[in-house]
């Protein structure tokens, strides 16, 4: 029997502090919008509930009408939800029975209309009890293929009609579905002892699964009469933890099948066993090159559930940190991408790293850390900007535009750089939308979309900036876009510095944010709030919310389901690296083996965000 950690630790759920109304189900949506009204008129009794929930459009639909609803949302001109950006699921077995919905599992879909700038959440109760099955949306949205495989793998929900329903993150011989509520958190507590002869050490380090060597399985659609090779995981361009199974005809690529899960860290399961305030530190470790953006995406989803107002100064500081992080991430992408592709790689690697170090110096100045920063917190930011920060930031924004020009002088018109990138990994506008791609992958195929401008958050509506778009759809176009994005980030930083207001750097809502230390000696109320926040954590009203931000690699989204306690009941991360990597096979077909390296760099993946 595996010795596992309890689902909730004792100090997180002290009996004297429990609210008898917890857990609670998320309330059904109320009211109506033009879109939900049109859906109800079309599907009638098949719609279980529809309306607004936490200011988000939401529809509950019966499973037998799910595919018809998806087709209707996509093709109806007045709706035009042309993209499926995320699929997740909820195991409701630990929640009280619902009045109208008693299914154990729900699948949750996030749909986006780029033309109308609208977002819609669709919830589908799954039939089948502990062996649930819902219809697959892959025939309608190709972008459902990988997210549905993830739900099948981690939650055990089947999808009828799916073209390739295999596990995607866990080993094929794994016996369980780890995100189900009857699966323990896992982990092996390390005993405290003064001697190595202690009997408790006898089982330390035992594996959950036997370490058997399993013969690799030929991916579907591949032919053994052609050459089939492994590219990775031990390959520099696949980052050491990505295996690509490549089918070749000579040096021409016929098919690529990514094998994920080498770095699977279980962030979602961990998040469902940590208090809201404590999960911020884990977000740093997903896309570890975009820690500030990860912090921001998570806290915005929680703040949406809390309904808390964030002070204007805190919002501007968040924008500054997010844009600095975007530049730092793009600099790292540029340096490694050039190293893979071009003869100027080593020089540019050092130059771009030099500028990135300046940004990390600024992060260290505000938070004491350079990579995993945890600076953006629920309710605001950890601390105010130190006095010297703005002057150092001004020096950096004055410096960067000239450095970007130097990079482009080395690369943009270079014949080797152009030959390796132009026409490679081409994706049409329709393909990018249908596959659910985001960020430079989407804008590189001619879709003029940026969440900062089109669904603004953190005050981005107050900034003037351009969204670079390319109609080429190839690796070269995506390179041009990222270079211009760095210039636009500098433009945003200058505006943020010029308009940084005085005031609070975090909310003064004492049920969300700790009171200042100085208050504890003079205010019993402040002491009580401090005690309750540190022992119980902040309690989030029952409900669910999805919030996406424009991270450096695309849309980073967090879906949070609250049961009213201080711990998320369900926490799902929509990582742009995971969704964008799905395109690798289509990008590589018909090209040469060496072009796979260019395509991987063009997607800009971080495996900590792919495997989550």
């Amino acid at each position: 029997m595996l010795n596992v950690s309890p689902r909730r630790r004792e100090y997180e759920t002290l009996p004297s502090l429990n609210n008898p109304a917890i857990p609670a189900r998320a309330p059904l949506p109320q009211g109506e919008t033009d879109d939900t009204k049109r859906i109800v008129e079309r599907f009638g009794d098949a719609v279980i509930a529809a309306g607004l929930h936490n200011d988000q459009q939401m529809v509950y639909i019966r499973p037998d009408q799910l595919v018809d609803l998806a087709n209707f949302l996509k093709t109806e001109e007045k709706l035009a939800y042309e993209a499926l950006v995320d699929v997740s699921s909820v195991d409701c077995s630990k929640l009280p029975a619902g009045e109208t919905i008693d299914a154990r599992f729900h699948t949750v879909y996030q749909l986006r209309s780029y033309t109308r700038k609208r977002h819609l959440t669709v919830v589908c109760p799954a039939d089948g009890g502990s062996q649930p099955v819902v219809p697959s949306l892959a025939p309608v949205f190709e972008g459902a293929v990988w997210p549905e495989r993830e739900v099948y793998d981690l939650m055990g929900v089947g999808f009828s009609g799916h073209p390739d329903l295999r596990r995607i993150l866990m080993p094929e011989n794994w016996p369980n579905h780890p995100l189900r509520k009857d699966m323990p958190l896992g982990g092996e507590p390390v005993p405290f002892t003064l001697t190595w002869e202690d009997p408790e050490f006898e089982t330390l380090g035992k594996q959950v699964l036997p370490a058997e060597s399993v013969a690799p399985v030929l991916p579907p659609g591949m032919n053994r009469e052609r050459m089939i090779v492994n590219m990775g995981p031990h390959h520099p361009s696949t980052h050491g933890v990505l295996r690509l199974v490549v089918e070749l005809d000579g040096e021409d690529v016929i098919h690529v099948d990514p094998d994920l899960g080498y770095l699977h860290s279980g962030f979602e399961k961990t998040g469902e066993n940590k208090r809201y305030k404590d999960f911020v530190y884990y977000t740093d470790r997903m896309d570890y090159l975009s820690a500030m953006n990860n912090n921001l995406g998570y806290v915005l989803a929680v703040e949406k559930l809390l309904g808390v107002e964030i002070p204007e100064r805190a919002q501007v500081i968040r924008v500054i940190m997010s844009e600095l992080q975007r530049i730092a991430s793009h600099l790292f992408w540029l340096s490694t991408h050039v190293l893979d592709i071009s003869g100027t790689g080593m020089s540019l690697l050092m130059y771009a790293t030099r500028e990135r170090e300046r940004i990390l110096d600024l992060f260290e100045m505000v938070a004491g850390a350079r990579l995993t920063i945890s600076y953006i917190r629920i309710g605001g930011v950890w601390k105010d900007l130190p006095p010297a920060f703005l002057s150092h930031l001004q020096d950096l924004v004055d410096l960067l535009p000239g450095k970007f020009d130097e990079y482009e002088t080395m690369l943009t018109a270079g014949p080797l750089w152009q030959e390796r990138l132009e026409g490679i990994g081409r994706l049409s506008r329709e393909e990018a939308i249908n596959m659910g791609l985001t960020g430079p992958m989407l804008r590189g195929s001619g879709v003029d979309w940026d969440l900062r401008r089109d669904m603004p958050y953190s005050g981005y509506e107050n900034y003037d900036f351009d969204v670079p778009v390319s109609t080429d759809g190839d690796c070269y176009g995506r390179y041009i876009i990222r270079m211009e994005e760095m210039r636009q980030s500098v433009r945003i930083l200058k505006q943020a510095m010029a308009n940084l207001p005085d005031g609070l750097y975090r909310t003064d809502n004492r049920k969300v944010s700790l009171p200042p230390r100085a208050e504890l000696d003079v205010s019993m109320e402040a002491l009580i709030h401090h005690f309750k926040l540190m022992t119980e954590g902040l309690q989030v009203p029952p409900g669910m919310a999805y919030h996406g931000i424009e991270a450096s690699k695309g849309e980073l989204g967090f879906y949070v389901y609250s049961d009213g306690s201080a711990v998320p009941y369900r926490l799902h991360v929509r990582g742009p690296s995971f969704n964008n990597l799905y395109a690798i096979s289509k990008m590589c077909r018909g090209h040469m083996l060496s072009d796979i390296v260019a395509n991987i760099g063009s997607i800009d993946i971080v495996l900590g965000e792919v495997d989550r």
Side-chain angles (χ1 to χ4, degrees), residues 236-254:
S237 72
T238 65
H239 300 235
V241 279
L242 169 65
R243 170 178 172 248
L244 298 177
V245 184
V246 184
E247 182 181 8
L248 295 170
D249 182 5
E251 284 200 43
D252 295 330
V253 177
I254 305 299

Side-chain angles (χ1 to χ4, degrees), residues 7-298:
R7 179 173 182 271
R8 288 196 173 98
R9 290 169 174 77
E10 183 178 354
Y11 69 83
E12 293 181 333
T13 54
L14 298 176
S16 61
L17 301 177
N18 283 345
N19 184 336
I22 297 171
R25 277 184 176 258
L28 294 176
Q30 301 291 326
E32 67 177 15
T33 66
D34 292 341
D35 289 2
T36 59
K37 181 179 179 181
R38 191 168 282 111
I39 293 168
V40 171
E41 290 174 351
R42 167 65 177 78
F43 290 93
D45 293 340
V47 177
I48 301 169
L52 286 171
H53 177 64
N54 285 320
D55 294 324
Q56 291 185 308
Q57 295 186 112
M58 188 173 296
V59 173
Y60 283 72
I61 190 72
R62 301 192 186 282
D64 59 335
Q65 292 295 307
L66 177 62
V67 176
D68 289 341
L69 174 62
N71 274 307
F72 179 68
L73 293 172
K74 184 177 182 180
T75 59
E76 170 60 38
E77 185 178 352
K78 294 182 179 179
L79 294 174
Y81 286 96
E82 64 263 55
L84 176 68
V85 296
D86 188 45
V87 182
S88 57
S89 58
V90 181
D91 178 359
C92 302
S93 59
K94 300 298 183 183
L95 295 173
E99 297 180 4
T100 59
I101 307 171
D102 58 0
R104 173 180 173 179
F105 295 93
H106 294 173
T107 51
V108 185
Y109 307 85
Q110 311 295 340
L111 293 102
R112 179 73 46 71
S113 173
Y114 294 127
T115 55
R116 299 176 55 242
K117 299 182 181 179
R118 294 287 187 274
H119 187 93
L120 175 70
T121 299
V122 174
V123 181
C124 178
D127 294 331
S130 61
Q131 301 295 325
V133 177
V134 297
S136 172
L137 294 190
V140 185
F141 299 102
E142 191 179 355
V145 173
W146 271 23
E148 286 184 350
R149 284 180 62 187
E150 183 184 13
V151 172
Y152 166 73
D153 186 3
L154 303 183
M155 194 69 80
V157 177
F159 292 90
S160 59
H162 192 284
D164 182 21
L165 198 59
R166 294 176 289 151
R167 304 199 88 139
I168 192 169
L169 291 174
M170 305 299 291
E172 286 294 334
N173 58 334
W174 184 265
N176 303 309
H177 304 286
L179 287 185
R180 289 191 172 191
K181 290 300 180 182
D182 52 2
M183 289 296 107
L185 173 64
E188 186 176 8
V190 178
F192 174 77
T193 179
L194 299 176
T195 171
W196 281 104
E197 284 70 38
D198 193 294
E200 287 192 79
F201 275 107
E202 292 179 2
T203 60
L204 187 64
K206 299 297 183 184
Q207 302 226 359
V208 178
L209 285 177
E212 299 174 354
S213 181
V214 180
V217 178
L218 187 71
M222 290 193 176
N223 188 343
R224 288 192 183 274
E225 294 183 2
R226 296 193 180 95
M227 182 182 293
I228 298 175
V229 299
N230 285 325
M231 187 172 177
H234 301 299
H235 188 285
S237 72
T238 65
H239 300 235
V241 279
L242 169 65
R243 170 178 172 248
L244 298 177
V245 184
V246 184
E247 182 181 8
L248 295 170
D249 182 5
E251 284 200 43
D252 295 330
V253 177
I254 305 299
H255 184 45
V256 176
D257 186 78
D259 182 16
L260 313 178
Y262 288 88
L263 196 64
H264 188 54
S265 304
F267 284 109
E268 295 183 11
K269 187 75 171 182
T270 301
E272 293 167 15
N273 290 270
K274 296 291 181 186
R275 291 176 290 186
Y276 286 97
K277 71 181 186 65
D278 295 330
F279 186 67
V280 172
Y281 314 104
Y282 290 83
T283 62
D284 293 325
R285 277 106 180 137
M286 291 184 295
D287 178 359
Y288 37 80
L289 301 176
S290 295
M292 290 288 195
N293 287 327
N294 298 349
N295 296 165
L296 181 60
Y298 169 67

